[in-house]
Amino acid sequence: MPGPVVLAVDEDANSLSDIERELRDRYERSYRIVCVGSAAEAEAELVRIAADAEEVALVLAGESLGGAPGSEFLGRVRRQHPQAQRGLLIDYANWGTRPTGQAIFAAMALRQIDYYVIRPLRTPDELFLQAISTFLLEWAHARRLSSHTVSIVAKSWSGRSHELREVLGRCALPHNFCLADSPEGRALVAEAGDGEPLPLVVFPNGEVFADPSDAELTVAAGGPVDLQGREFDLVIVGAGPAGLSAAVYGASEGFRTLVIDEGGIGGQATLSSLIRNYLGFPRGVSGRRMAEQAWEQAWVFGAQFAFMQKATSLRHDGQRIVVGLSDFPDVSARAVILATGAAYRRLEVDELEALAVSGAGVFYGGPASEAPALVGRDVFVVGGANSAGQAALHLADYARRVTMVVRADSIAAGMSDYLVQQVKASPNIEVRLKTEVVGGGGEARLERLELRCRDGGAVETVEAGALFLMIGALPHTDWLPAEILCDAGGFIGTGTDVAEAPAWPLERAPLSLETSMPGVFAVGDVRNGSMNRVASAVGEGSTAVRLVQDLFALARLASWDPVGGLPDRH
Ligand SMILES: Cc1cc2nc3c(=O)[nH]c(=O)nc-3n(C[C@H](O)[C@H](O)[C@H](O)COP(=O)(O)OP(=O)(O)OC[C@H]3O[C@@H](n4cnc5c(N)ncnc54)[C@H](O)[C@@H]3O)c2cc1C
């Protein structure tokens, strides 16, 4: 059986022969390798492959083909092969030079290429092969072909199957979905034993759950741990980027560390299909992948996790701080880090809220797991910030047309420039400024939206296959006691915000990320003044651990209680 195709096109015959040798030596057993010397031959191959219903996993192209940039050829690949990864071949001599860097940046901004790869220099060239494997892994993830993928089989995309996708998504578990009457669905149902109630959830180890509860799924996904009678040095509430960072640093410093999350790992970051501005990931990283790796890092250092556990209360008990949990007995710690982030504001159009509850075409947050279902549809994204821009770009790979509905009179005000450029360059993205969604509905799922221009005018009804709402956030602080000082928007005050407040009970000044409750720190999006970025959340998570260390060290030196009755240290 020939596998998916890896196609390389390069006009330099020597380079093409090196590339062909490396690809065949390493990948020929699993992929069909096609190497050609011109753009015309490559175009003809791609047409033939599409006609034969074969899949293309990766296309590599030289920097220049027939006098035109190779990136232009690569930009056309996805018209026929929407999932194919596209790599621009560059010479080692050009690596690090300004013109090549600019060409790569422009081609990525125009979404013509996924990344670049340096032509092989020796055999085996492990750097070249690693780059190829990364492309193939990205393709497998997009196709949900990874060996760790969980399968959901259900009668429809909405209702309970949507909820299950949400739960798996929140646990950062890669998953795919198939309808029960599709060939793949029928095969999975037959394997599980006909007659089992749907939806079915099939784990990669073969374990099958018929119509499982959320709790069953999270246990199967690796949590929660048994917390009975456990005392910790550090309890972290929230396993988004800020909490995961605090977990890595806390556990690596030797603290007995527990991380609690009412969902799974990753927080809002799991809604982001490609984070391109996080240090160390030049080709970008999906929020889910980043969270998986951070979780693994924290786990290897010894941090413990409790998923699907909501923190419900917080109080001092002598020298310890006690956190109440939704399903387990209280846990206690010497210090607590609040990393509970924020959630989207609601649109408050009743008909659309009802469709959002069942995931019937209306979604709060990004389109990560819904996008593949929207091929050929007209979809809408409400919002004008980076997250909305990313969502629109991701959807544009699948949908016929993506309309961004923005209240402001420009997208430049709320969006990073690189995203503005990408949105403008995408032929199937339209931006409607000064516009809001005022109504909509549908029978079983979203069919239409009502839009109104804020300058006045009639309400316009448009056909809509899906709506993604990304309209600002509210902090998760409603469960906190009054001793934790928050601003008018509910975001937690720290450091100088609380130093002068009557709520601060000690003589010493609060540490920089410390809240008005001594020994309790706040980091990431939940904090007043947060930068709302992954990098800043991660930085604050690690900084807070350092401050916890300082607090413990000073307490040891002075033999005083770290969370009460302290002398002034400043
Ligand atoms: C679609 C999208 C795209 C984005 N793209 C980018 C990007 O490209 N680059 C970038 O830098 N930033 C991006 N961001 C912003 C970034 O994701 C956030 O700034 C970051 O996730 C904040 O991290 P956090 O840990 O502070 O909070 P969150 O990520 O919000 O995590 C908070 C966690 O706390 C948990 N929690 C809340 N309350 C409780 C409770 N009571 N008990 C237990 N657990 C609780 C939640 O379940 C959640 O897991 C994006 C955001 C979105 C939504």
Side-chain angles (χ1 to χ4, degrees), residues 167-187:
V167 172
L168 290 176
R170 296 185 76 185
C171 293
L173 267 191
H175 55 279
N176 62 19
F177 173 78
C178 52
L179 288 168
D181 59 4
S182 67
E184 199 188 349
R186 276 196 292 272

Side-chain angles (χ1 to χ4, degrees), residues 170 237-243 260-264 266-269 271-272 274-277 309-311 339-342 344 366 387 390 418 470 476 479 523-526 532-535 537:
R170 296 185 76 185
V237 187
I260 300 159
D261 199 291
E262 62 175 319
Q268 293 171 73
L271 302 172
S272 177
L274 195 66
I275 298 169
R276 284 202 50 205
N277 57 356
Q309 283 302 305
K310 186 172 162 62
T340 49
Y344 285 100
S387 52
Q390 286 179 347
Y418 80 93
M470 321 195 77
H476 290 131
W479 61 281
V523 294
D525 281 15
V526 75
N532 304 113
R533 288 286 181 273
V534 170

Side-chain angles (χ1 to χ4, degrees), residues 132-149:
I132 301 300
S133 290
T134 304
F135 281 120
L136 295 174
L137 185 64
E138 290 297 328
W139 171 78
H141 273 299
R143 291 277 293 104
R144 302 286 202 269
L145 295 175
S146 123
S147 42
H148 299 121
T149 301

